[in-house]
Amino acid sequence: MNVIHKTRQATDDLSVYGVEVGSRLLLGTSQYPSPAILNAAVQASGTSVVTVSLRREAARGGAQGFFEMVQSWGVRILPNTAGCRSPKEAITTAQMARELFDTTWVKLEVIANDDTLQPDLFGLVEAAAELSSQGFDVFPYTTEDLGAAERLMAAGCQVLMPWGAPIGTGKGLANPYALRTMRNYFPGVPLVVDAGMGAPSHAAYAMELGYDAVLLNTAVAKAGDPVRMAEAFGSAVRAGRSAFVSGLMEPREMAEPSTPVAGTPFFDLTT
Amino acid sequence: MDGIRQRETEPDPGLVVLSVNGERRETGSSTLEEMVRELGYGDARIATAVNGEFVAAGARAACRLQAGDRVEIVAPRQGG
């Protein structure tokens, strides 16, 4: 039996910053072939939290239409600070996002490296502390590093979002051992695997490990049929969650018949 | 060499030279609020920063622009 699931509440609602989140699939809104497909994919996924961003306003009109579409979904909005390379940039971006989207939630990204898009953990902790002090509810995009995780929590974070694999790679869980360790180390903290998902099985695996939710974008947006893939990820997340709550069997080294041995025909104890 | 020619041209003393979203711009606006309207954003859903510091919508009218200021004007966009 898994130790963690015994500590869970009897109900299976995910609560983050005092908000009950219906679906454990958090979905990004970028890179879809068209607004219509994005709209249909969000509906098909069953998500209750979508990530958005803000960018320089080059052409008026499109951005406002996008915002109206997001509002029509009736889901929670989680603005990101994607592309920010310093705590200062991330903090200012978060402040602009709070005004634009009218939410204290922010997916905090402080990026350290262009090739891996890995988090700058030092800048992340610094920005998280400042934003928390300003009343933000910070969702930090981090790694599996336990020391950084503890610093983030001390900075005020009530949820942690370790990467599965680098953003956009679709490689799934690159380090399941470290993710399992993190899960066991923080049994009561909402943990979300963010980034790197490529297939629904990756998301199901994260949920089977006991993660509270997964956040992904590219795997759905770049699928041949994004709408159907959104549905597939929604199913996978629910399946993985049910599996974790149910308690997975322990693997065994040797085969053991599943059909009863007693009463097997043609089996004679006298010979 | 447009750049050199531009540098040799005396800027209009009534205009302030600054950057908006990374691009050089001359403006007659004296405040951020005026500039946002000058650019046609009106009541559009945007957020602003000057020189890396957030400027709330309600503070734009009091935010005086100076030569060399770096103005950012952002809007909602798809994100992951």
Side-chain angles (χ1 to χ4, degrees):
Chain A
M1 292 292 286
N2 195 309
V3 176
I4 298 166
H5 93 268
K6 290 180 182 171
T7 67
R8 300 272 146 183
Q9 303 168 357
T11 60
D12 197 35
D13 294 335
L14 171 60
S15 178
V16 186
Y17 288 111
V19 174
E20 301 292 323
V21 176
S23 167
R24 291 170 182 272
L25 171 61
L26 286 64
L27 191 62
T29 55
S30 191
Q31 306 180 85
Y32 291 79
S34 71
I37 292 176
L38 163 63
N39 189 44
V42 167
Q43 313 278 0
S45 72
T47 188
S48 1
V49 179
V50 296
T51 54
V52 297
S53 72
L54 46 81
R55 284 290 179 264
R56 286 171 168 171
E57 173 71 312
R60 291 179 294 283
Q64 314 303 324
F66 169 68
F67 184 76
E68 286 168 14
M69 182 193 288
V70 172
Q71 283 187 308
S72 77
W73 297 329
V75 298
R76 295 287 302 195
I77 300 174
L78 179 58
N80 69 29
T81 63
C84 290
R85 293 172 185 285
S86 70
K88 180 63 184 169
E89 286 179 15
I91 290 164
T92 302
T93 301
Q95 291 169 325
M96 292 193 287
R98 178 162 62 177
E99 184 177 81
L100 264 187
F101 297 106
D102 194 24
T103 177
T104 54
W105 283 19
V106 63
K107 175 185 166 180
L108 182 61
E109 296 183 40
V110 182
I111 298 300
N113 180 290
D114 280 341
D115 292 328
T116 62
L117 297 179
Q118 68 188 59
D120 168 5
L121 297 177
F122 303 95
L124 186 68
V125 171
E126 184 182 334
E130 176 59 27
L131 289 171
S132 295
S133 76
Q134 293 184 17
F136 284 86
D137 300 317
V138 179
F139 293 63
Y141 169 61
T142 185
T143 69
E144 318 90 336
D145 188 284
L146 299 181
E150 290 196 311
R151 296 288 184 97
L152 288 166
M153 292 182 63
C157 297
Q158 295 177 20
V159 57
L160 300 170
M161 302 209 297
W163 59 357
I167 295 169
T169 59
K171 289 187 177 298
L173 307 188
N175 194 343
Y177 166 67
L179 287 172
R180 196 179 288 116
T181 302
M182 189 177 199
R183 177 68 284 180
N184 289 327
Y185 195 76
F186 296 107
V189 178
L191 298 180
V192 180
V193 172
D194 177 11
M197 302 294 109
S201 55
H202 300 153
Y205 187 20
M207 298 304 292
E208 288 169 8
L209 291 180
Y211 275 76
D212 293 283
V214 297
L215 197 169
L216 58 102
N217 188 157
T218 309
V220 168
K222 293 297 187 185
D225 181 344
V227 179
R228 194 156 186 185
M229 188 61 82
E231 187 181 347
F233 268 99
S235 300
V237 167
R238 284 193 297 276
R241 177 63 186 174
S242 293
F244 172 72
V245 172
S246 303
L248 294 159
M249 67 166 279
E250 291 293 334
R252 293 185 288 228
E253 292 300 321
M254 298 295 291
E256 195 168 314
S258 47
T259 304
V261 174
T264 304
F266 317 119
F267 184 69
D268 192 345
L269 288 174
T270 62
T271 56
Chain B
M1 302 296 283
D2 286 349
I4 291 174
R5 201 175 306 134
Q6 271 185 0
R7 249 175 266 141
E8 289 171 346
T9 305
E10 284 296 313
D12 184 327
L15 298 178
V16 173
V17 180
L18 38 65
S19 85
V20 178
N21 287 349
E23 294 185 359
R24 181 181 181 280
R25 186 173 183 89
E26 293 181 359
T27 179
S29 299
S30 59
T31 67
L32 183 58
E33 177 72 20
E34 286 176 25
M35 160 146 277
V36 164
R37 299 211 169 272
E38 173 190 325
L39 293 172
Y41 295 119
D43 298 321
R45 185 171 283 266
I46 56 160
T48 51
V50 176
N51 299 329
E53 301 289 340
F54 169 60
V55 180
R60 285 178 202 147
C63 179
R64 301 199 66 80
L65 296 176
Q66 298 179 336
D69 278 349
R70 291 172 293 111
V71 177
E72 296 285 343
I73 302 173
V74 297
R77 193 67 63 82
Q78 296 83 349

